[in-house]
């Protein structure tokens, strides 16, 4: 029988935020309303990724008003850079992150927490994708690209869904993440998958972005993602070569001493 967890002892939540002045307050409030129902202790971190609008000022004001909210500020590094900062700042074992643009409903986190007893990662997949044609074509191209170039597993349904609950042990194992851009999700999941971590997938609703601008599919972001794929592929090949070589050295050494 599977165990349904209702409340985690502690949970870190962070939001990667780039120019989300019109959304950040509502997102944080949504989190503060849901979190007491899913965790005994929690913290909320807004990772301001070099926003050019008033995101930082609003986040700072919220952090003064709510003691569980804090701000991590950095110059703009991209989605991956923002995730890395969030992981570094998070102090609890379970870490949840989602986008700061109100495209998801944080209340859906309850279903995710229920799966934590037997998993290391609980991954959202979008039941509907509230985005334009261009974006969907891009997403499908990226999916094929990931499969061909990196051997990405077919059974992970939605790599880029910005709604993930992860145990810290996964991050120790996957080592320092290489990608500062959008490829970070591919890198994280691929490494976790190869390290045999247990994962569950849950469908979540996706809502239209009402305020602010989605920059996830602009040319700069795409070019960075392409470059990161090659870097990732090279890094993983190197890692495999190293393991292969040390295994070989080990078997040579043991046959020598036998
Ligand atoms: N595009 C973009 N998003 C960032 C960056 N840094 C953090 N983010 C956040 O990453 C999340 C996803 O970005 P978004 O543009 O909505 O991507 P999309 O929903 O995939 O189109 C949002 O919460 C952004 O605020 C960045 O440099 N670029
Ligand atoms: Mg978005």
């Amino acid at each position: 029988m599977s165990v349904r967890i209702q409340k985690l002892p502690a949970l870190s939540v962070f939001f990667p935020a780039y120019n989300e002045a019109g959304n950040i307050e509502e997102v944080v409030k949504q989190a503060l309303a849901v979190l007491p129902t899913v965790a005994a202790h929690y913290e909320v971190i807004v990772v301001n990724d070099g926003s050019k609008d008033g995101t930082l000022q609003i986040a700072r004001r919220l952090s003064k008003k709510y003691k569980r909210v804090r701000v991590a500020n950095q110059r703009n590094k991209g989605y991956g850079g923002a995730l890395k900062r969030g992981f570094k700042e998070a102090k609890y074992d379970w870490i949840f992150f989602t986008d700061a643009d109100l495209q998801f409903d944080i209340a859906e986190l309850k279903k995710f927490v229920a799966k934590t007893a037997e998993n290391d990662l609980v991954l959202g997949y979008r039941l509907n994708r509230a985005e334009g044609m261009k974006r969907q074509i891009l997403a499908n191209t990226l999916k094929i690209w990931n499969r061909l170039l990196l051997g990405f597993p077919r059974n992970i349904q939605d790599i880029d869904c910005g709604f993930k609950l992860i145990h810290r042990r996964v991050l120790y194992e996957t080592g320092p993440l290489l990608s500062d851009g959008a490829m970070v999700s591919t890198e994280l999941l691929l490494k976790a998958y190869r390290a045999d971590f247990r994962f569950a997938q849950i469908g979540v609703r996706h809502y239209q972005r009402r305020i602010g601008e989605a920059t996830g599919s602009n040319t700069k972001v795409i070019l960075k993602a392409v470059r990161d794929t090659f870097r990732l592929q090279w890094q993983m090949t190197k890692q495999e070569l190293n393991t292969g070589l040390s295994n070989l050295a080990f078997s040579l050494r043991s046959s020598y001493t036998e």
Side-chain angles (χ1 to χ4, degrees):
M1 205 188 73
S2 65
V3 189
R4 279 183 73 84
I5 304 255
Q6 307 221 314
K7 254 190 182 188
L8 291 167
L11 174 66
S12 293
V13 174
F14 74 83
F15 299 106
Y18 177 67
N19 293 348
E20 303 287 6
N23 295 313
I24 197 67
E25 178 156 9
E26 182 62 28
V27 165
V28 167
K29 285 185 175 161
Q30 223 184 63
L32 292 175
V34 174
L35 294 176
T37 67
V38 295
H41 297 278
Y42 57 89
E43 59 172 353
V44 176
I45 305 153
V46 176
V47 179
N48 177 53
D49 190 36
S51 299
K52 296 188 186 84
D53 63 2
T55 305
L56 177 63
Q57 290 68 31
I58 299 170
R60 286 216 165 118
R61 175 167 56 75
L62 293 168
S63 72
K64 289 199 182 95
K65 190 163 167 197
Y66 304 104
K67 65 176 194 302
R68 291 191 168 85
V69 178
R70 105 186 124 80
V71 183
N73 189 37
Q74 63 184 17
R75 64 175 174 81
N76 183 251
K77 295 200 169 154
Y79 180 68
L83 289 203
K84 283 196 248 182
R85 181 68 187 272
F87 291 142
K88 203 168 130 200
E89 294 286 334
K91 62 178 182 204
Y92 297 129
D93 281 347
W94 280 100
I95 304 168
F96 168 68
F97 61 92
T98 188
D99 295 347
D101 55 9
L102 294 171
Q103 288 195 266
F104 296 98
D105 176 6
I106 300 176
E108 298 208 57
L109 180 59
K110 287 177 197 163
K111 296 180 282 184
F112 284 60
V113 167
K115 295 273 185 197
T116 50
E118 58 272 328
N119 291 290
D120 307 301
L121 303 96
V122 189
L123 309 171
Y125 64 89
R126 285 161 286 187
L127 293 167
N128 59 309
R129 288 184 74 130
E131 27 187 42
M133 265 292 268
K134 182 183 162 206
R135 190 52 205 268
Q136 297 209 8
I137 294 171
L138 185 73
N140 285 326
T141 314
L142 189 71
K143 211 158 51 183
I144 299 168
W145 174 268
N146 277 332
R147 287 209 176 115
L148 290 179
L149 261 89
L150 297 166
F152 199 88
R154 278 176 182 279
N155 51 346
I156 293 183
Q157 304 198 42
D158 187 357
I159 306 169
D160 297 300
C161 179
F163 205 96
K164 295 182 171 81
L165 177 60
I166 295 181
H167 194 281
R168 177 177 295 284
R169 64 176 85 95
V170 177
L171 300 173
Y172 289 139
E173 200 65 37
T174 52
L177 292 165
L178 193 77
S179 332
D180 272 336
M183 279 301 292
V184 72
S185 311
T186 305
E187 178 180 2
L188 178 65
L189 296 186
L190 190 57
K191 287 180 171 174
Y193 187 83
R194 291 196 176 176
D196 275 335
F197 283 110
R198 301 158 303 167
F199 64 93
Q201 299 178 86
I202 295 179
V204 291
R205 303 268 328 151
H206 194 220
Y207 300 88
Q208 295 274 351
R209 183 191 259 275
R210 276 172 296 142
I211 307 168
E213 223 175 290
T215 47
S217 59
N218 70 21
T219 319
K220 209 172 118 199
V221 173
I222 297 168
L223 287 177
K224 205 164 161 184
V226 172
R227 187 200 62 192
D228 283 353
T229 312
F230 288 116
R231 275 172 51 181
L232 186 58
Q233 193 193 29
W234 170 235
Q235 195 205 33
M236 293 194 125
T237 317
K238 228 168 43 185
Q239 237 165 31
E240 271 159 27
L241 268 175
N242 280 340
T243 338
L245 284 176
S246 49
N247 284 348
L248 184 69
F250 180 76
S251 38
L252 283 176
R253 223 177 305 130
S254 30
S255 60
Y256 182 73
T257 47
E258 258 166 22

